[in-house]
Amino acid sequence: AAADTTDILNSPAFLKRKVEVLQSDIAAIEKEIDEANTVYLAGKEEWGSKFDMINRESQAMQERLAKQGSQGKETATMEVATSILNVLDNYDRAFQAVEPATNEEVEIVDAYKHTYDLIIDALTELNVTKVETVGVEFNYELHQAMLQMPSDEHEEGL
């Protein structure tokens, strides 16, 4: 019991003073918070609309860049596909012109047909698909034509 009466940190006077200091500290911090809120609100009033405008502009720019990125990919795919289609046309002409006579020639033609199929698969993965044109009515959204030629095989417009 003697130790409790001599412990200055637990004395009522010390504890009372400590509460006063803590209350003073709390009041000072609350005053700083109020001042900071005042500065914040003044800044928000002055700059808030500008920040909102910059935020909207940033979102619009991100949307434009995403759209341009997809358009760039689409353009690149079209350029590559157009170049590869010329190669495939050469394959088609070669397949029509060659009649393999020996087993070795059949193996060579089969190897080229396998390569041809790999190219077709790669184009399919890029969402490039064959558009039927012969015997099908001309569709201005799918086909691009430079001229029409009369034909005894097909009706006009096909």
Side-chain angles (χ1 to χ4, degrees), residues 89-145:
D89 287 343
N90 288 334
Y91 268 90
D92 287 335
R93 284 190 286 278
F95 291 144
Q96 290 172 4
V98 172
E99 285 293 327
T102 67
N103 287 341
E104 185 177 325
E105 290 174 353
V106 169
E107 288 178 15
I108 292 171
V109 169
D110 287 344
Y112 278 106
K113 285 185 179 179
H114 179 69
T115 304
Y116 178 90
D117 291 340
L118 291 173
I119 294 170
I120 294 294
D121 291 344
L123 288 172
T124 301
E125 287 180 22
L126 294 171
N127 293 323
V128 177
T129 57
K130 184 175 184 176
V131 176
E132 294 297 330
T133 56
V134 177
V136 176
E137 186 173 344
F138 188 81
N139 182 340
Y140 292 95
E141 293 183 18
L142 294 176
H143 304 113
Q144 294 181 358

Side-chain angles (χ1 to χ4, degrees), residues 26-68:
I26 290 171
I29 290 173
E30 286 176 344
K31 182 180 178 190
E32 288 179 24
I33 290 172
D34 288 342
E35 290 171 357
N37 279 335
T38 302
V39 170
Y40 164 74
L41 292 173
K44 184 177 178 183
E45 186 176 320
E46 180 180 351
W47 296 98
S49 62
K50 293 175 185 173
F51 283 132
D52 291 342
M53 181 184 72
I54 289 171
N55 190 29
R56 285 190 303 272
E57 188 175 319
S58 172
Q59 288 174 342
M61 188 181 312
Q62 288 175 351
E63 290 170 6
R64 275 194 311 272
L65 289 174
K67 184 177 178 182
Q68 287 174 349

